[in-house]
Amino acid sequence: MAQPQLEEEKATPRHPKKTNTTRRLQTLNRKGGSGKSTTSGSYAEELGRMGYRVLVADLDANATLTKGVGIRLGELKYSIYDILMSPRTLLETRDAIVQLKHLNFDILPGSENLAFAEPALLMARRQRVLQERLAEVDDEYDFVIIDTAGHESFLHTLGHVYADEVIVPTEADITNWETVVQTLQSVRKVVEDGLNPKMRVRAIIVTRYQQGTKFGEAMLRKLNAEYGDLLLPMVVMQTVRVREAQAFNQPITAYDPESQPAKAYRKLAEHIERG
Ligand SMILES: Nc1ncnc2c1ncn2[C@@H]1O[C@H](COP(=O)(O)OP(=O)(O)OP(=O)(O)O)[C@@H](O)[C@H]1O
Ligand SMILES: [Mg+2]
């Protein structure tokens, strides 16, 4: 398998954006392993395939999404860490963006150093720094998607300040119910505290659904009963194809567009497109 071609030169638009707006999304769930990075990469790629210009910002020190599209962290000149920690006069956001030639979106790569950025930014109360740095480039994109880590941190706050729409992926397992409730409460708090009055949940998507499991069915029933209006009416099945896609540095929507998970993520992208 050939390595994906990466373009690390200054990102010039591959094509003009499709709309005259920029929509800002955050993929959020306080539970680790709930499918956030898989979901972010999949709907980013799908929106890109639909002709939109899409940027994903990887705001996770694990940099799962960045590594998952074939970027080797050690070979990167700059990452989101450098953008958050340097003034614009030294480094422009554009200089850290990687155009993925084998995929239909650009990425502001994650970094293990984000773990060090967090306490420094918290101490300096720089909760608007991501918003300021993305403002340099975001009018060139139809969609900017923030992928966040599973555990609560100040980095989440940076994403909350920036993003107006939240996508909540959750594993199809009733034992994860509380984390969905907490995630939705945290969005409500962002609005109530005035951190970002525009923020709202756009969709809940059930991932890693295993047919015939009582824990999966119970989760789906409860989500339908309590948050039916937000729930995407198609689940993402747990399948080995998703893992396989990651092994080949691609979201499932690029690797196997006719697979069930790709179709579910297409529904999510269409749902987002409708606004
Ligand atoms: N539909 C699926 N079928 C099979 N495996 C899946 C599916 N969706 C996600 N996974 C796997 O589940 C694991 C967790 O997914 P992912 O990394 O997207 O979660 P996450 O919420 O981003 O995790 P973290 O909180 O650590 O950032 C990964 O190993 C991923 O490959
Ligand atoms: Mg992740």
Side-chain angles (χ1 to χ4, degrees), residues 78-79 81-84 86-96 133 136:
Y78 304 118
S79 73
Y81 167 83
D82 302 292
I83 296 304
L84 295 176
S86 318
R88 185 180 184 177
T89 44
L90 280 188
L91 179 64
E92 290 186 20
T93 301
R94 188 182 311 282
D95 294 334
R133 299 309 315 261
E136 291 170 34

Side-chain angles (χ1 to χ4, degrees), residues 67-82:
K67 292 184 269 188
V69 294
I71 294 175
R72 294 196 185 89
L73 299 188
E75 291 175 8
L76 279 174
K77 206 161 161 195
Y78 304 118
S79 73
I80 195 167
Y81 167 83
D82 302 292

Side-chain angles (χ1 to χ4, degrees), residues 58-62 79-86 109-130 133 151 153-158:
D58 188 350
L59 199 57
D60 182 359
N62 288 324
S79 73
I80 195 167
Y81 167 83
D82 302 292
I83 296 304
L84 295 176
M85 300 301 282
S86 318
S111 161
E112 285 152 1
N113 288 334
L114 274 175
F116 306 111
E118 194 212 334
L121 294 172
L122 177 62
M123 285 259 286
R125 300 184 180 195
R126 302 203 57 206
Q127 59 193 30
R128 305 217 163 262
V129 63
L130 180 70
R133 299 309 315 261
H151 58 278
S153 88
F154 188 63
L155 296 176
H156 279 72
T157 307
L158 306 189

Side-chain angles (χ1 to χ4, degrees), residues 16 34 40 146 228:
S34 49
S40 294
I146 314 287

